[in-house]
Amino acid sequence: MPLAMNRDVFITCAVTGAGDTVSRSSHVPITPKQIADSAIDAAKAGAAVVHCHVRDPETGAASRRNDLYKEVTDRIRSADVDVVLNLTAGMGGDLVFGNVEAPFPLNEKATDMAGATERVSHVAECLPEICTLDCGTMNFSLGDYVMTNTPSMLREMARQMTALGVRPEIEAFDTGHLWFAKQLVEEGLIEDPVLIQLCMGIPWGAPDDLNTFMAMVNNVPASWTFSAFSIGRNALAYPAAAVLAGGNVRVGLEDNLYAGKGQLATNAQLVEKAATVIEGMGARIIGPAEVREKLKLTKR
């Protein structure tokens, strides 16, 4: 494809995620106040969008508690900085089998499966401007864990998100996820303008080499708005790749803990590094008001 660099770029900061990162960095926010404060700092550093999970304040483990989402939402909305709020709806699809010889019974402690309405209940209560929709099922990380999102589940979650007036951000971890996303749009379950996040380098989805990345980009319809990221050591290089390919940028402690070799980062520092790359390429960083106009978001 011809070079089509994006000249007007927005930055998303993925603030905390659901992974086991708390023990690896003291900068990973855990409590609702910490998550909101870190999101606000990221917004002040240049992020137009903050993507938020919540964690159990006592253990740091991933959580789906609505009261935690409500506190994070209220704290961000009452801050002295404007930012587009994006809440995850990816929780509730964690299927962990027993072992290779006896897959059943399931590992009940690690498995977390919920119905569509329960999975979006915090979205219905908090009404963020954006929420995520992980658009497929895949082997995820190591062991016997499968990230589970069936076609029927995705159709119903997309229907509920659209009915709530919340813009789904399609999370695509491989080309098949893009294929199904197009089907959801064709069926009218996701409305224009379509927003998609290309999630690169997550085992065992699409690897983050440039050939695979461009295969993903080339499967995104020209009328859609896309953003991209990679995890780990390539996370700091992906802002340049995303902008050069015509997309927007995501960084944050959900994806990468380091600002450099051996240097643990904060969310604000990762946003600042991405902003330096974007502006150094000759692009302009746009703020939340322009993002809302571009994506037809409802600010609440």
Side-chain angles (χ1 to χ4, degrees), residues 53-281:
H53 291 244
V54 294
R55 294 177 179 269
D56 185 305
E58 301 298 324
T59 67
S63 176
R64 289 192 288 108
R65 282 171 47 188
N66 285 20
D67 62 316
L68 300 178
Y69 279 109
K70 184 67 165 56
E71 183 176 348
V72 168
T73 299
D74 289 346
R75 287 181 178 275
I76 292 173
R77 284 178 171 157
S78 64
D80 60 353
V81 63
D82 188 24
V83 70
V84 173
L85 182 62
N86 175 344
L87 297 183
T88 184
M91 306 292 291
D94 298 339
L95 183 66
V96 184
F97 291 95
N99 59 60
V100 296
E101 299 297 346
F104 295 105
L106 298 174
N107 181 331
E108 293 186 5
K109 184 177 180 180
T111 294
D112 177 33
M113 296 292 292
T117 300
E118 184 177 348
R119 288 181 69 174
V120 300
S121 62
H122 63 293
V123 176
E125 181 172 350
C126 299
L127 291 176
E129 295 169 78
I130 301 171
C131 69
T132 61
L133 184 67
D134 295 343
C135 222
T137 294
M138 61 179 278
N139 294 330
F140 203 97
S141 189
L142 303 175
D144 300 296
Y145 170 41
V146 178
M147 180 181 76
T148 309
N149 297 287
T150 66
S152 296
M153 177 70 73
L154 290 170
R155 283 186 168 93
E156 179 57 23
M157 290 177 68
R159 186 195 66 76
Q160 292 193 26
M161 291 169 183
T162 298
L164 289 167
V166 177
R167 176 75 60 209
E169 180 189 61
I170 298 164
E171 305 277 292
F173 296 81
D174 217 334
T175 52
H177 299 181
L178 285 168
W179 187 6
F180 191 70
K182 293 175 187 176
Q183 182 65 29
L184 292 177
V185 173
E186 184 177 325
E187 293 175 12
L189 295 171
I190 294 177
E191 299 175 342
D192 289 329
V194 180
L195 173 64
I196 192 156
Q197 185 73 246
L198 302 181
C199 310
M200 309 300 297
I202 292 90
W204 301 102
D208 62 5
D209 63 89
L210 289 178
N211 283 337
T212 304
F213 177 51
M214 290 311 300
M216 296 280 278
V217 170
N218 289 336
N219 273 285
V220 175
S223 63
W224 294 13
T225 296
F226 81 89
S227 184
F229 72 93
S230 179
I231 64 171
R233 64 183 299 176
N234 289 334
L236 296 179
Y238 250 74
V243 172
L244 198 59
N248 299 281
V249 169
R250 171 172 140 173
V251 292
L253 294 177
E254 177 173 353
D255 309 325
N256 164 50
L257 300 177
Y258 293 92
K261 187 174 182 179
Q263 180 187 353
L264 290 170
T266 65
N267 278 305
Q269 288 170 338
L270 292 173
V271 172
E272 288 167 358
K273 288 183 76 70
T276 298
V277 170
I278 293 164
E279 291 176 334
M281 295 175 70

